[in-house]
Amino acid sequence: MAVSGTESGKASVPPQGGDITTEVVVLGGGLAGLTMAAALASAGVPVVCIDQDSPERMESHGFDIRTTAISYASKMVLESAGVWHHMAERAGPMLDIRIADQFSPLFIHYDHTELAMEGTHQPFGWILDNKDIRSALFTRSAELPGLVHLAPAKAITVERTRTGVSVRLADGRTVRGRLLVGADGRRSLARDSAGIKVRRWSYDQSAIICTIRHSEPNKGVAVEHFLPNGPFAVLPMTDNRCSIVWSEKTSLVDTYLKLPEDQFIDELTRRSGGYLGEISLLTRREAWPLSVLLAERFVADRLALVGEAAHAIHPIAGQGLNLGMRDVAALAEVVVDAYRLGLDVGGPEVLARFQRWRRFDTVLLAAVCDGLVHLFSNSIPPVKLARDLGMAVINRLPPVKRFFMKHAMGVVGDLPRMIRGLPL
């Protein structure tokens, strides 16, 4: 079946649940994938998003206790896609960032008001529960007539030809389009079907995560201590809550997870420095192994990879999803430009432009994060002294510090229109 039904800005969906035709097929309806679909549909590009989980399950209590740091740049992407206003009230702003090497008196302090003179008087970012981001994405998807959200729907096979793509579902249906966006995570069917190889390496660390409530206000301050076994981050949320992301040597993780709750809270208080007052746990504790994944390329014939299908990095800089949101902004721009000109949205020129735009930035950030992990995850005295002095120097050089602040906000480099606040 040829791709059809796109003149009206909608996918062609048979009334009795048959095959579906569209312009773009997004495989994976996670945070990056559904944002990708919403961005395209908001700009008039017909899109089908396929997710193996149902919205009801993903919104159920306890499905996902994780939180996500949304940078200023990612907020702009979500705003452009019409998603942000559905989640803004639940977003805890990061107004200050304090980074210390263990508990050294020398540290870096980023204050968002220091960028006011340059017209970017905005928080560095926001912290949200993943379930609240998903809820906002589901709400926005339901508002977009050009977006067909198939969930639950399991993809079985992917076929790419010279003229289009087709995804066969477990229920027997086939979804056809001109471009496949692989947003289906580290174990990507889309990536593997194209034979794209990946580089992987693991750290001897896992991230212990939970959400706490505290008696003292967090004042929008994000704190990160670089400790010998990995960074310990306290991230501000709404309603006197904070998200804990505690990277620890993998061999010790089970010990901390099995601590009685009062002892675990004592350990959190000690590591955070006690500035939050009385602490209580709001969620269970979980641990996630930390590793890096980099696809050798982000495109193949009629395929573009975004999010963790293309890359996964250490959370030391809080840039995981934000890197994926930059993928979304860049790919949405090149696809929308091609669609409005009547060009093939899955053509080689479109994909080459996306690859040039995103590959270097991603590899560079992955290398920087990897270097930071190795630099800070030790207690060698000369190295620690050099680290502390370097942080003190950065803190006293306003131009250098402003550059790093902009980088944390995601507003450095060749920025897509969505990040610059321009319409697609």
Side-chain angles (χ1 to χ4, degrees):
M1 183 185 296
V3 176
S4 62
T6 60
E7 292 81 7
S8 65
K10 299 182 181 180
S12 176
V13 185
Q16 296 183 341
D19 293 351
I20 303 173
T21 60
T22 189
E23 280 287 313
V24 179
V25 182
V26 178
L27 184 55
L31 306 186
L34 204 48
T35 302
M36 181 82 248
L40 293 174
S42 296
V45 180
V47 58
V48 172
C49 183
I50 302 168
D51 196 340
Q52 64 181 0
D53 279 314
S54 69
E56 292 77 18
R57 179 170 181 266
M58 287 186 279
E59 288 187 291
S60 63
H61 179 71
F63 173 77
D64 185 356
I65 69 164
R66 291 172 297 173
T67 60
T68 293
I70 300 292
S71 70
Y72 171 77
S74 295
K75 178 254 190 183
M76 297 297 288
V77 175
L78 291 162
E79 196 165 65
S80 178
V83 179
W84 181 253
H85 71 278
H86 291 301
M87 55 199 270
E89 289 185 358
R90 299 185 292 278
M94 287 188 290
L95 304 177
D96 287 36
I97 301 176
R98 297 177 185 174
I99 304 170
D101 184 8
Q102 300 181 34
F103 294 97
S104 169
L106 302 175
F107 59 89
I108 298 176
H109 177 208
Y110 297 155
D111 181 342
H112 75 294
T113 61
E114 293 181 36
L115 290 176
M117 66 190 73
E118 300 183 25
T120 54
H121 195 174
Q122 292 280 343
F124 293 107
W126 293 260
I127 308 297
L128 290 106
D129 285 305
N130 281 9
K131 65 180 178 61
D132 290 333
I133 303 175
R134 283 196 179 92
S135 178
L137 285 165
F138 296 150
T139 300
R140 177 56 177 160
S141 297
E143 296 172 345
L144 294 165
L147 195 168
V148 177
H149 186 202
L150 299 180
K154 184 173 178 59
I156 301 299
T157 61
V158 172
E159 181 180 356
R160 295 171 299 110
T161 68
R162 185 176 61 83
T163 57
V165 298
S166 60
V167 179
R168 186 169 174 271
L169 305 180
D171 62 12
R173 288 182 294 173
T174 297
V175 182
R176 295 182 174 87
R178 299 187 190 276
L179 171 67
L180 176 66
V181 177
D184 49 341
R186 296 183 186 224
R187 300 177 181 178
S188 170
L189 171 64
R191 183 189 67 229
D192 292 347
S193 72
I196 297 176
K197 296 179 180 179
V198 297
R199 291 189 60 202
R200 305 175 192 262
W201 64 92
S202 297
Y203 300 100
D204 185 21
Q205 295 177 354
S206 293
I208 299 172
I209 63 168
C210 61
T211 300
I212 62 173
R213 192 181 298 282
H214 42 84
S215 60
E216 297 297 321
N218 58 51
K219 299 180 180 178
V221 177
V223 175
E224 185 164 32
H225 292 294
F226 290 126
L227 302 175
N229 289 345
F232 178 88
V234 184
L235 307 173
M237 302 178 71
T238 57
D239 302 324
N240 266 30
R241 296 177 301 146
C242 277
S243 171
I244 301 296
V245 182
W246 167 2
S247 299
E248 182 56 75
K249 186 174 290 188
T250 299
S251 61
L252 299 176
V253 165
D254 278 349
T255 301
Y256 288 116
L257 290 179
K258 292 175 181 177
L259 280 178
E261 185 169 310
D262 59 338
Q263 294 181 32
F264 184 77
I265 290 173
D266 287 344
E267 186 65 23
L268 291 181
T269 301
R270 184 183 72 81
R271 287 171 179 260
S272 64
Y275 74 98
L276 293 172
E278 296 295 320
I279 289 175
S280 60
L281 288 179
L282 288 179
T283 67
R284 64 182 181 271
R285 298 165 252 175
E286 288 184 352
W288 294 74
L290 299 179
S291 61
V292 172
L293 177 150
L294 275 175
E296 65 176 10
R297 51 198 168 94
F298 292 176
V299 301
D301 292 342
R302 300 206 168 270
L303 169 67
L305 302 177
V306 301
E308 291 198 340
H311 47 71
I313 63 175
H314 194 284
I316 191 168
Q319 291 299 312
L321 179 63
N322 296 311
L323 200 56
M325 287 294 182
R326 293 203 285 277
D327 298 340
V328 168
L331 184 57
E333 184 166 324
V334 298
V335 168
V336 168
D337 286 350
Y339 182 73
R340 288 178 177 159
L341 290 173
L343 303 176
D344 184 350
V345 298
E349 298 84 2
V350 174
L351 295 174
R353 185 181 169 198
F354 170 68
Q355 168 92 349
R356 287 193 302 269
W357 206 342
R358 293 300 307 137
R359 175 73 181 169
F360 177 77
D361 174 49
T362 301
V363 172
L364 179 62
L365 185 57
V368 168
C369 289
D370 184 65
L372 288 173
V373 173
H374 289 96
L375 176 64
F376 283 96
S377 295
N378 65 76
S379 292
I380 302 171
V383 176
K384 184 179 185 306
L385 176 61
R387 292 191 309 241
D388 291 353
L389 292 175
M391 295 174 75
V393 168
I394 291 173
N395 206 45
R396 293 176 179 274
L397 291 176
V400 175
K401 193 162 83 165
R402 281 197 293 271
F403 171 80
F404 283 112
M405 286 192 282
K406 287 183 176 181
H407 206 282
M409 296 176 78
V411 291
V412 173
D414 185 9
L415 302 178
R417 292 195 295 267
M418 294 181 80
I419 295 177
R420 288 183 283 137
L422 302 175
L424 273 176

